[in-house]
Amino acid sequence: MKKQRILFIGAGRMAEAVAAGLVTSSADSIEAVVMSNNGDIERLQRVETTYGVQTTQNWRQEVDNSDVIILAMPPEAHPSVLKELSTHLNQQFVVTLAAGIGPSYLESHLPQDTPVAWIMPNTAAMIGQSMSLYTLGTSATKEHKEVLQMILKGIGEAHECSEKEVHELTAVTGSAPAFLYYFAESLIDATTAYGVDEKTAKDLVIQMMYGSVQMLHETKDPASLREQVTTPGGATAEGLKVMKEQDFSLIIKQAIEATNRKAMGGS
Ligand SMILES: NC(=O)c1ccc[n+]([C@@H]2O[C@H](COP(=O)([O-])OP(=O)(O)OC[C@H]3O[C@@H](n4cnc5c(N)ncnc54)[C@H](OP(=O)(O)O)[C@@H]3O)[C@@H](O)[C@H]2O)c1
């Protein structure tokens, strides 16, 4: 793979996570990283100093020199940026990080045969631990896929999907972290009800979750880990019985379905 010159349009939280991953994990594959935004010059100066990337206040001048253009601005900024970008493009690989903006949308707003891809990271990208989904457009080649995987390497794990699957599974990889944090909040509330202060409750719950997630990561077997903790007829089994009676699995399934309905434009 030739060394890539990568231009970011948008220099917010997600652009920073991807750029940080690139300069630490893929430095050998990169000729330059150039970041731009909508006018927040202080932020550009900060990313330049922190990551040693180049910055510009006018991304239009950089398109011609770039191999990859990463769209890291909000979904609602896409129509106008894509319109302008179209007039500067010459077969550059265009990758969006935006929620809801799949390859078919990019292809319908960019010149014919433009290679495109869609990455859906989650917030753990900021610590290099994302579970990202990605999908490529119809004009992307094996080489584009290699470039995409090089970009993804620095923010964690990634899984290739169809466009439809990215739409459906983002509820699990992108939104479910919020469900997990809500579970943590609920457990912290239940702990403080026994009279311990909030800091202690947080320490207890967060370390319990951290250790449990590491066990999950090692064994990949949630059911047998649950069984290890649950003596039949014992105290934990009694707690789980309440969760089953309240149909915890159904609540989770309904939360995923509601997320997808909303993401697909429903109410
Ligand atoms: N944060 C997440 O966990 C997450 C997860 C998955 C996907 N995403 C996607 O990643 C994208 C960026 O999210 P973020 O959290 O990084 O947002 P953010 O921190 O708010 O950053 C947005 C960036 O876009 C720039 N921008 C806005 N309008 C622009 C325009 N018209 N032209 C050029 N730059 C423009 C902003 O520039 P100024 O600061 O100068 O206004 C800023 O640098 C979004 O599409 C989001 O859906 C985010």
Side-chain angles (χ1 to χ4, degrees), residues 9-14 37-40 72-75 77 97-99 120-121 123:
I9 305 181
R13 287 159 296 180
M14 201 40 79
N37 61 10
N38 207 22
D40 183 345
M73 69 276 175
L97 302 172
M120 271 314 293
T123 46

Side-chain angles (χ1 to χ4, degrees), residues 188-227:
I188 290 164
D189 283 349
T191 310
T192 54
Y194 285 93
V196 297
D197 62 87
E198 189 159 331
K199 183 190 173 304
T200 306
K202 280 184 177 165
D203 288 346
L204 296 176
V205 169
I206 292 168
Q207 179 56 32
M208 177 282 293
M209 289 182 79
Y210 187 65
S212 305
V213 166
Q214 292 211 0
M215 297 275 281
L216 262 178
H217 199 254
E218 275 173 30
T219 66
K220 316 271 184 221
D221 191 352
S224 67
L225 285 172
R226 173 176 49 75
E227 280 161 17

